[in-house]
Amino acid sequence: MNFNNQTQAVDYTELESLRREVAELRNEGAAFKAQSHLLEKLVSMARSSTEGEVLKAALQTTLDVATDQTNSEKGSLFLLETSGKVADAILSRAEVTPEQRKNLIGNVLDKGLAGWVIRHRQLGLIVDTEHDDRWLTLPNQPYNVRSVLAVPIIRGEELLGIITLLHSQPGHFTQEIANLMLLTADQMALVLENARLYSKLDKYSKALDAELEKGRQIQIDFLPYELVKLPTWEIAACFHPARQVAGDFYDTFELPNQQVGLVIADVCDKGVGAALFMALMRSLIRVFSSETQLRGFARQILEENQPTDGWIGESGSKNLAHLNALQAVSRTNEYVAQNHWQMSMFATMFFGVLDPETGILTYINGGHEPLFILNESGVKNTLKSTGPAVGMMPGSKFKIQQIQLEVGDILIGYTDGVTEGKNPEGKLFTDKRLRDILEQPSTSASELLNSIKTNLFAFVADAPQFDDITMLCVQRK
């Protein structure tokens, strides 16, 4: 008899142990299923939601999974900041005013079960609200609540949020359901943390985009609002930044003695730093070209600085005016090299001074892409580099050259974003493709630019570009 009783006791103990194992396995299986369901929903949410909706969608998805998992009738979720302040919430009461929402949250966190969970950092289970003073019955409660489960969502040491689940029948939420929710809470914590970080990143990204947009607008304002207009000349330009702010720039401006300055340049870097240097160099060229006055005898100055093939222009005063303006390149080089050498910033730059009356163009090409002079037969002349890039080293020397544009001639300058434009396969537009277009006859500067743009943009299609595309074109009519 005693032996039988002992056997029965052992069998009962083993049975209870087996039941607990089965219950644990059932809970783990349910938790795994809930986690998989949560991840599946979140992947779908991330693909379909806009950036501003991700956090709200993550909160709603987390609450939906918890409600389905426990067969709850209603539920709410508080997302908390590190300070304990409510960052966002989804309430059981769907239709409330902002003031009512604020009061509800304040009461619940102060006197209700959610506040108890925050203070104790542990799960709150109410079998029957009529016999538990942790439950706060709110005025004008639109639904009956008898059983409540409040689960803290904790990541490391931080309390990220609280899910409160409600049911109208007492005893609906059991310890087994509570254990199931605790198993799922870690996955929910990971989801909420990522969603919160994503939301912050989204805010920072939008703030940065707003600042870059301001920078873009400021940079556009630095480009000439209107190109110089001359009676027998056409000047056209093209500017397509690869990013919101760019390092390329072009400029046309009037100089003393009815001369015209023509500039196209490319700062070595990209982004905000290049845009700042673009603005600096553009301003320096404008200021220095208008104020510089060479000292000494005019004849001696002209002899010491004459181009390789001598002066084409017959007017000594105009040649001297061109020299005066072009000293801006050397002065800009010295300023940048001496004051900003630690930034390792420089620019390739073409600066030409045009006499509209005669077509004489005196220029410096500081390490820039060659410019081309075209006529009805194609490429007539190439204006190659006459010195290093501007701002690389103090004391750099820049040779001056002079040519004459005849009636019908077109001068075209560009930055390397044109020839290095990439198509979706990663192939470059190349110098050859550009040269083939230049060899075709064009009746105007604007027609030539349009032809280059049409061919270039058809080539690159929708491929992202890594360099700015800038062109400046001048024709003597």
Side-chain angles (χ1 to χ4, degrees):
M1 182 69 177
N2 291 335
F3 177 76
N4 290 336
N5 289 339
Q6 289 177 354
T7 303
Q8 289 176 356
V10 171
D11 290 344
Y12 180 77
T13 302
E14 290 180 351
L15 182 61
E16 284 301 308
S17 176
L18 183 60
R19 284 175 178 172
R20 284 196 299 271
E21 288 180 11
V22 170
E24 289 175 3
L25 289 172
R26 186 186 300 118
N27 279 349
E28 290 177 1
F32 178 76
K33 183 178 180 181
Q35 291 169 7
S36 300
H37 183 50
L38 181 61
L39 289 173
E40 181 182 334
K41 279 196 170 186
L42 286 170
V43 169
S44 175
M45 169 201 70
R47 290 173 177 171
S48 60
S49 301
T50 61
E51 290 181 346
E53 297 173 337
V54 168
L55 179 59
K56 183 67 72 176
L59 296 177
Q60 187 63 60
T61 299
T62 303
L63 181 58
D64 290 345
V65 169
T67 303
D68 293 342
Q69 191 176 13
T70 59
N71 292 319
S72 304
E73 292 176 343
K74 292 184 179 297
S76 60
L77 189 155
F78 293 152
L79 181 67
L80 304 176
E81 296 178 352
T82 53
S83 62
K85 181 181 178 182
V86 176
D88 207 340
I90 298 177
L91 301 178
S92 300
R93 289 187 172 188
E95 297 179 0
V96 291
T97 65
E99 187 63 29
Q100 289 173 326
R101 177 187 175 90
K102 182 178 179 182
N103 291 333
L104 284 171
I105 292 174
N107 287 328
V108 168
L109 294 183
D110 183 31
K111 304 173 184 177
L113 181 61
W116 184 90
V117 171
I118 290 176
R119 290 189 294 273
H120 292 81
R121 289 198 168 215
Q122 65 184 53
L123 181 142
L125 173 60
I126 296 179
V127 177
D128 192 342
T129 57
E130 292 187 358
H131 305 293
D132 197 316
D133 57 9
R134 292 177 299 174
W135 179 249
L136 177 65
T137 301
L138 299 171
N140 302 319
Q141 183 82 3
Y143 42 79
N144 184 39
V145 178
R146 293 294 298 275
S147 185
V148 186
L149 178 62
V151 184
I153 301 176
I154 300 174
R155 183 75 173 164
E157 298 295 323
E158 184 180 357
L159 180 62
L160 298 179
I162 299 171
I163 289 181
T164 304
L165 304 169
L166 313 175
H167 202 278
S168 59
Q169 295 298 320
H172 174 78
F173 297 109
T174 63
Q175 189 60 50
E176 184 178 349
I177 292 177
N179 293 337
L180 173 62
M181 282 301 300
L182 286 175
L183 287 172
T184 313
D186 286 344
Q187 188 66 36
M188 292 180 172
L190 179 61
V191 168
L192 291 186
E193 182 183 42
N194 288 338
R196 190 170 66 176
L197 291 174
Y198 188 93
S199 180
K200 287 183 178 180
L201 180 62
D202 181 39
K203 290 179 182 177
Y204 293 150
S205 176
K206 287 180 179 177
L208 179 59
D209 282 343
E211 291 301 312
L212 287 175
E213 180 58 28
K214 291 179 184 177
R216 186 187 74 84
Q217 192 55 54
I218 291 172
Q219 184 177 40
I220 289 175
D221 291 341
F222 268 103
L223 298 173
Y225 179 73
E226 194 173 64
L227 297 172
V228 172
K229 287 183 169 55
L230 302 170
T232 57
W233 294 81
E234 181 192 3
I235 303 177
C238 164
F239 177 68
H240 290 273
R243 304 180 185 178
Q244 283 177 291
V245 288
D248 284 8
F249 71 96
Y250 66 90
D251 203 1
T252 66
F253 51 94
E254 295 180 356
L255 289 165
N257 301 321
Q258 290 77 51
Q259 307 303 289
V260 175
L262 304 171
V263 182
I264 185 167
D266 183 0
V267 177
C268 66
D269 204 356
K270 303 289 182 293
V272 176
L276 292 173
F277 267 81
M278 163 265 181
L280 172 65
M281 289 190 168
R282 182 259 190 189
S283 299
L284 291 175
I285 289 292
R286 278 209 171 202
V287 171
F288 290 152
S289 63
S290 297
E291 71 174 20
T292 302
Q293 292 296 323
L294 294 170
R295 295 183 180 181
F297 295 104
R299 180 177 296 178
Q300 181 180 354
I301 293 172
L302 290 172
E303 288 179 357
E304 291 175 351
N305 295 278
Q306 68 176 327
T308 305
D309 298 327
W311 293 104
I312 298 176
E314 297 179 358
S315 171
S317 61
K318 288 187 177 179
N319 290 337
L320 191 60
H322 286 203
L323 272 179
N324 276 325
L326 290 172
Q327 293 305 306
V329 176
S330 296
R331 293 189 64 183
T332 299
N333 179 79
E334 295 305 302
Y335 182 90
V336 172
Q338 292 180 11
N339 293 282
H340 301 289
W341 58 269
Q342 69 277 14
M343 301 296 293
S344 300
M345 286 288 214
F346 57 88
T348 64
M349 180 186 299
F350 176 91
F351 179 25
V353 181
L354 175 68
D355 179 9
E357 183 181 354
T358 62
I360 296 292
L361 178 71
T362 313
Y363 68 91
I364 288 175
N365 185 341
H368 196 72
E369 302 292 324
L371 280 77
F372 296 103
I373 298 175
L374 317 175
N375 59 17
E376 67 278 359
S377 300
V379 176
K380 172 183 175 183
N381 200 353
T382 303
L383 310 186
K384 298 180 180 180
S385 176
T386 65
V390 180
M392 287 187 69
M393 296 177 59
S396 295
K397 302 299 181 183
F398 301 92
K399 293 183 180 180
I400 291 172
Q401 297 290 6
Q402 194 175 60
I403 53 97
Q404 185 170 24
L405 296 173
E406 298 177 344
V407 175
D409 283 353
I410 297 177
L411 172 70
I412 173 73
Y414 60 95
T415 59
D416 56 10
V418 174
T419 53
E420 294 178 5
K422 289 184 178 181
N423 68 4
E425 288 74 40
K427 295 181 179 180
L428 300 178
F429 188 69
T430 70
D431 296 312
K432 183 181 182 303
R433 284 189 175 86
L434 176 62
R435 187 68 180 250
D436 289 343
I437 298 171
L438 299 181
E439 293 291 355
Q440 302 299 316
S442 297
T443 59
S444 68
S446 55
E447 181 188 331
L448 176 59
L449 284 192
N450 287 334
S451 177
I452 296 173
K453 287 192 293 183
T454 299
N455 283 273
L456 175 60
F457 294 145
F459 176 82
V460 301
D462 57 353
Q465 297 306 300
F466 300 98
D467 209 348
D468 310 318
I469 296 171
T470 306
M471 292 182 281
L472 180 65
C473 198
V474 181
Q475 183 184 33
R476 186 178 185 184
K477 293 290 187 179

